[in-house]
Amino acid sequence: MGMKQTLDVINRMEADSVIGRYAIAGAVAAYNYVEPTVTEDVDILIAFDPGHRLQTGLITLGPILSYLKDKGYSDFRKEGLLIEGWAVQFIPVANDLDAEALAAADEVDLEIHPNEGSVRTRVLRPQHIVATALRVGRPRDHLRIVQFLEEEAVDIEALCGVIHRFWLRDAWLTFLRRAGIADPCKIKSVL
Amino acid sequence: MKRPKTTYPDISDILQRKAEGRRDIARRTFGEKIAMMEALRERLAPFKRLREQRRAAKPVRRSGP
């Protein structure tokens, strides 16, 4: 029981078309690039499937939960649905930034314990992890951005492009001012 | 009256070693970091249980009369 088995279940969901394209997001995605921080859950960004939309326009995770319940996964923690020891949060693509992040996600062969073999998965790229942290904007998200910048784990040109494309300039400048960091994107302040 | 000057130890070497340790961890593979987190979560589970017990024992705040 562990992340390998969790991802095996999620890969099976994708193969069975219960979910569309997916990628690991959030704190676990950041593990691919920077020093890890403890987290209780794994965020899985999933492609929006029109079949999962109710008549009210709201998105339902019903088909996903029903599929997993049939497989014996129905234990909820406040962090998410427990799958092989990890609380999993399925997060549907909710804006253009998410859509680009998912489309550009990196394919990786992940080996956690050598005796288990590896698992193929996708993980968000650094510029999208940082941009998403910027958009969410909690203090812990800002800490994550500082980590990426300090550890030089993000391509600055790619990050500046994402900030520009998704209108995150104000959030970026606010973050830089609070963190006391000079702007590597050299965006002109309009605040 | 002048306060006596306190001499503190130089801990820059300790901080440097810690920074090096953080860099070493950051350089590990994705899989190694997940394995490390899984082991860490097990070790931290008793603290998490205590935190949850403390939260559960806290009286619920009610707003307004």
Side-chain angles (χ1 to χ4, degrees):
Chain A
M1 195 165 74
M3 181 64 82
K4 155 82 168 65
Q5 290 72 23
T6 307
L7 292 171
D8 283 339
V9 171
I10 294 168
N11 283 341
R12 171 52 52 194
M13 291 171 76
E14 189 181 20
D16 289 346
S17 303
V18 178
I19 56 171
R21 182 181 171 85
Y22 83 88
I24 302 172
V28 176
Y31 290 2
N32 200 21
Y33 311 105
V34 294
E35 184 194 359
T37 52
V38 179
T39 184
E40 292 296 330
D41 61 348
V42 52
D43 292 341
I44 301 293
L45 184 64
I46 53 172
F48 168 71
D49 176 352
H52 291 184
R53 191 181 272 272
L54 297 171
Q55 280 185 335
T56 56
L58 294 174
I59 292 168
T60 172
L61 296 179
I64 293 173
L65 301 181
S66 156
Y67 172 94
L68 287 168
K69 193 176 176 189
D70 285 348
K71 304 276 180 201
Y73 304 109
S74 55
D75 186 5
F76 268 97
R77 299 281 169 85
K78 63 175 182 292
E79 299 88 0
L81 181 65
L82 209 58
I83 303 176
E84 298 294 334
W86 277 87
V88 179
Q89 281 281 2
F90 291 99
I91 303 171
V93 164
N95 52 53
D96 290 345
L97 171 59
D98 287 347
E100 181 183 292
L102 183 56
D106 198 12
E107 300 258 354
V108 294
D109 269 317
L110 177 60
E111 185 185 81
I112 299 165
H113 302 288
N115 56 337
E116 290 177 336
S118 64
V119 59
R120 191 104 178 123
T121 189
R122 289 182 213 97
V123 58
L124 296 193
R125 291 183 188 272
Q127 63 269 27
H128 294 116
I129 297 173
V130 171
T132 303
L134 196 59
R135 193 171 54 77
V136 178
R138 298 165 301 181
R140 65 204 252 192
D141 298 302
H142 282 183
L143 284 174
R144 188 173 295 156
I145 302 171
V146 170
Q147 249 192 314
F148 272 85
L149 295 175
E150 280 191 347
E151 296 182 27
E152 297 178 356
V154 58
D155 179 305
I156 293 296
E157 202 177 315
L159 174 63
C160 299
V162 174
I163 288 169
H164 180 75
R165 275 199 303 287
F166 296 101
W167 300 93
L168 291 166
R169 281 170 289 189
D170 287 351
W172 176 240
L173 293 170
T174 303
F175 157 74
L176 291 170
R177 205 172 41 243
R178 283 188 188 154
I181 297 173
D183 183 7
C185 299
K186 304 204 169 31
I187 291 171
K188 209 172 179 182
S189 177
V190 289
L191 297 176
Chain B
M1 196 175 120
K2 251 191 173 177
R3 279 168 59 185
K5 196 180 172 197
T6 310
T7 310
Y8 295 104
D10 179 7
I11 60 164
S12 56
D13 60 327
I14 296 173
L15 297 177
Q16 193 187 335
R17 279 203 302 276
K18 282 168 78 77
E20 275 168 21
R22 281 199 299 270
R23 276 196 295 274
D24 285 346
I25 290 170
R27 275 196 292 265
R28 289 183 192 178
T29 67
F30 192 20
E32 283 170 338
K33 289 178 196 173
I34 289 174
M36 181 184 145
M37 261 327 107
E38 287 183 334
L40 190 59
R41 276 174 7 139
E42 272 180 39
R43 291 204 296 267
L44 293 176
F47 294 100
K48 190 187 173 198
R49 276 197 298 275
L50 282 175
R51 199 169 61 233
E52 283 170 354
Q53 281 167 9
R54 265 200 316 275
R55 277 187 192 153
K58 262 190 189 171
V60 180
R61 266 197 212 165
R62 293 177 195 284
S63 57

